[in-house]
Amino acid sequence: MRAAVAAGMDVYGFTAMTPASKLAGATGLFADMGELADLLR
């Protein structure tokens, strides 16, 4: 994730399996895969 953020890429973190605190710096966080499509629009 750090490399993607450093490269200016959007990063989306799946918090159902990883604590949000470990995904600091992500463009967006989501806990349900059903939310991902809306984040990508």
Side-chain angles (χ1 to χ4, degrees):
M1 188 179 90
R2 283 182 271 172
V5 171
M9 299 171 71
D10 287 337
V11 177
Y12 297 92
F14 186 50
T15 60
M17 302 191 70
T18 304
S21 61
K22 291 192 174 196
L23 299 170
T27 305
L29 301 174
F30 63 102
D32 183 312
M33 281 292 179
E35 300 172 48
L36 183 57
D38 287 335
L39 287 172
L40 298 176
R41 291 186 192 148

